[in-house]
Amino acid sequence: MVFKHRYYIYLCVVCFLAVACVSKDKYEELEETLADTRAILEQKSKNLEELERKRDELKEKLNQFAQDKSEVQSRLQELEKKEQVLSETIAQKQALIVRADEARRRLENKLQSQIEQREQRIKELEEAVAKLNETRQMLEINLLAQLENQARTIKEQQKMISELGNQKHYVEIDLIDLKEQIAIQERIINEQMQIIAELDSTRLKIEDSLQDRTSEIELREKRIKELQDDIVQRDRAKSQIETDLKEQIRAQEVKLEKLAGKLKVTFVDRILFNSGSAEINAEGRQLLSTLAESLKQNNQNILVEGHTDNVPIGPELREKYPTNWDLSVARSAAVVRYLTGKPGIAPKRFAACGYSFYMPVASNNTEASRQQNRRIEIILTSQR
């Protein structure tokens, strides 16, 4: 800036001297030259300011470069330290790999031994299943012999054989499932060596499962025998009742029905009770005594059900039996009371209930249909 002021002063002096020395034309020429010179000076001043600005920017960049250089040197030192730590870590991991290979070889030897033991166990299981199949075949032969002696019940016996076949199928499916589970366990052992420590526990669980399945098969065999006994008792009772009550069955006063595992004997109410009464009449006592002889020959449970039509109780009986509920319950209880009395059937085998008119077998729209609904049902069921 000082340079600029001096330059302007010097220029003014020159102009003054020029004015004093030259002519008018010369003066005008000098003014033009002075104007050009002033423009050039202004341009140079701007250029100088621009150079000063660029110089300041270069100084700032130089300072930033020095800082970056310092950071790079610090980062380089950190990288050298990390490289040293990494070298030490690699050496440690190599040692660990060597120890891991040794442990893997020991585990593979142990795994091979356990697989051989499992194969031996599977072989023993297959032998046990073969023995079970032989036992099942003997049961089927005995069952077929019984079916040949019971021509009237061949349909039910064939159903029983089908059930036995289904049970065999279920046992075979269980065995296949068990083999698949063992194969899955072996694949898991090969694929996931890190859980080798849990193999012993898994083996114990599988052995427990095999023992449980063996027990389950024994229970199924026991249940089959019990069902066979129930069928024999039910068929014997049915044959005896058909013989003892053949006249009443022919007259449709008594009806025999085979249900799923049950035998139902249905009496129309008129042969056991007089109208509006819960007291067993003479004909009813005779029929129940005859029926009792058949019931004594088995140990099945006995359910006695009382049913009525939907006609309300008359005024003369309403004080004693307010509703059809009361009448149906009283009649079923009277049958139980009679059969546990003189015939001497064990009371613990009995249960009595009344359903009023809520379980009809006909529409209740006609006298004939209402007569079908007025009934006593005696149902023989298994104790198990």
Side-chain angles (χ1 to χ4, degrees):
M1 295 299 291
V2 174
F3 171 79
K4 289 173 66 178
H5 290 148
R6 287 180 179 178
Y7 184 82
Y8 286 137
I9 293 171
Y10 175 76
L11 183 61
C12 291
V13 172
V14 171
C15 291
F16 180 74
L17 292 174
V19 170
C21 297
V22 299
S23 62
K24 182 176 180 181
D25 294 335
K26 191 67 173 178
Y27 178 76
E28 292 177 355
E29 183 180 350
L30 289 173
E31 283 184 348
E32 291 176 0
T33 302
L34 181 60
D36 294 337
T37 302
R38 187 180 293 111
I40 292 170
L41 289 173
E42 290 178 354
Q43 183 64 37
K44 288 183 178 293
S45 177
K46 291 180 180 179
N47 292 338
L48 182 60
E49 290 177 355
E50 180 67 20
L51 289 173
E52 290 177 351
R53 185 181 62 77
K54 289 183 177 180
R55 183 194 61 185
D56 294 338
E57 291 179 355
L58 287 174
K59 287 181 179 180
E60 292 178 357
K61 290 182 178 180
L62 184 59
N63 292 334
Q64 183 66 34
F65 177 75
Q67 292 178 0
D68 292 344
K69 179 181 179 182
S70 175
E71 292 178 358
V72 169
Q73 290 176 347
S74 175
R75 182 61 177 170
L76 182 59
Q77 292 176 356
E78 292 178 358
L79 289 175
E80 289 175 351
K81 292 179 180 179
K82 288 183 178 180
E83 182 180 3
Q84 184 179 359
V85 172
L86 182 59
S87 298
E88 296 175 355
T89 303
I90 290 172
Q92 294 175 357
K93 286 187 176 180
Q94 288 176 346
L96 289 175
I97 289 172
V98 172
R99 291 196 295 271
D101 289 338
E102 294 177 357
R104 179 180 58 79
R105 286 193 294 271
R106 291 194 298 270
L107 290 175
E108 287 177 349
N109 294 334
K110 182 178 179 181
L111 176 61
Q112 183 63 31
S113 175
Q114 290 178 350
I115 290 174
E116 292 175 356
Q117 292 177 1
R118 286 177 180 275
E119 290 176 350
Q120 180 64 26
R121 182 59 181 170
I122 291 172
K123 183 178 180 181
E124 293 175 356
L125 177 61
E126 290 175 346
E127 292 176 356
V129 172
K131 292 180 180 179
L132 177 62
N133 287 334
E134 292 178 0
T135 303
R136 178 187 55 75
Q137 291 173 359
M138 292 177 64
L139 290 173
E140 289 179 350
I141 292 172
N142 292 334
L143 183 59
L144 288 173
Q146 293 178 4
L147 290 173
E148 292 176 356
N149 295 329
Q150 298 179 4
R152 293 182 181 181
T153 60
I154 188 169
K155 184 177 180 180
E156 289 76 9
Q157 295 297 331
Q158 287 176 345
K159 182 178 179 181
M160 190 63 190
I161 292 174
S162 176
E163 293 175 356
L164 290 174
N166 291 335
Q167 291 179 0
K168 173 190 172 184
H169 179 64
Y170 294 147
V171 172
E172 291 174 347
I173 291 176
D174 290 342
L175 179 59
I176 293 173
D177 292 340
L178 183 58
K179 290 182 178 179
E180 291 177 352
Q181 291 175 6
I182 294 173
I184 290 172
Q185 292 294 332
E186 291 176 351
R187 288 197 297 270
I188 292 173
I189 290 171
N190 293 328
E191 296 172 355
Q192 301 179 351
M193 296 298 295
Q194 64 270 23
I195 60 171
I196 190 66
E198 298 179 1
L199 285 174
D200 290 337
S201 176
T202 303
R203 176 177 56 79
L204 293 175
K205 290 180 181 178
I206 292 176
E207 290 179 354
D208 292 341
S209 177
L210 292 176
Q211 293 176 358
D212 292 341
R213 291 190 180 277
T214 302
S215 300
E216 182 180 350
I217 291 171
E218 292 176 353
L219 291 175
R220 287 184 179 180
E221 291 178 349
K222 181 179 179 182
R223 180 57 179 164
I224 289 171
K225 187 176 183 304
E226 292 174 351
L227 290 174
Q228 291 173 345
D229 293 341
D230 289 341
I231 291 173
V232 170
Q233 290 190 29
R234 184 190 64 187
D235 292 339
R236 186 186 300 120
K238 181 175 181 295
S239 299
Q240 185 66 37
I241 293 171
E242 286 176 341
T243 301
D244 295 341
L245 303 180
K246 60 182 178 180
E247 295 181 0
Q248 290 77 10
I249 293 174
R250 187 182 302 111
Q252 296 185 348
E253 295 175 337
V254 176
K255 181 180 179 182
L256 285 179
E257 296 179 81
K258 274 188 176 182
L259 306 176
K262 302 176 182 179
L263 177 64
K264 182 169 71 173
V265 185
T266 303
F267 293 86
V268 294
D269 69 333
R270 67 174 182 271
I271 65 172
L272 297 180
F273 303 97
N274 296 329
S275 177
S277 173
E279 183 177 351
I280 302 173
N281 56 34
E283 182 182 2
R285 288 194 296 273
Q286 182 178 356
L287 288 176
L288 291 177
S289 297
T290 302
L291 176 65
E293 296 303 319
S294 300
L295 299 181
K296 287 180 180 180
Q297 297 177 12
N298 62 68
N299 58 356
Q300 292 181 301
N301 289 332
I302 304 170
L303 174 62
V304 181
E305 297 180 355
H307 300 269
T308 68
D309 56 24
N310 63 348
V311 177
I313 300 297
E316 65 279 3
L317 299 174
R318 195 170 296 161
E319 181 177 354
K320 188 173 183 180
Y321 307 112
T323 65
N324 283 310
W325 278 112
D326 300 272
L327 181 59
S328 64
V329 172
R331 286 180 171 179
S332 63
V335 172
V336 171
R337 191 163 50 250
Y338 181 82
L339 292 175
T340 56
K342 185 176 180 181
I345 302 176
K348 65 180 182 180
R349 294 174 56 189
F350 283 90
C353 57
Y355 289 99
S356 185
F357 54 83
Y358 293 103
M359 293 184 66
V361 294
S363 64
N364 278 318
N365 292 331
T366 64
E367 176 57 30
S369 62
R370 287 192 292 271
Q371 184 177 351
Q372 294 180 51
N373 291 330
R374 297 191 298 268
R375 66 196 189 277
I376 292 293
E377 294 181 352
I378 298 176
I379 302 172
L380 304 183
T381 62
S382 172
Q383 289 186 349
R384 291 165 290 275

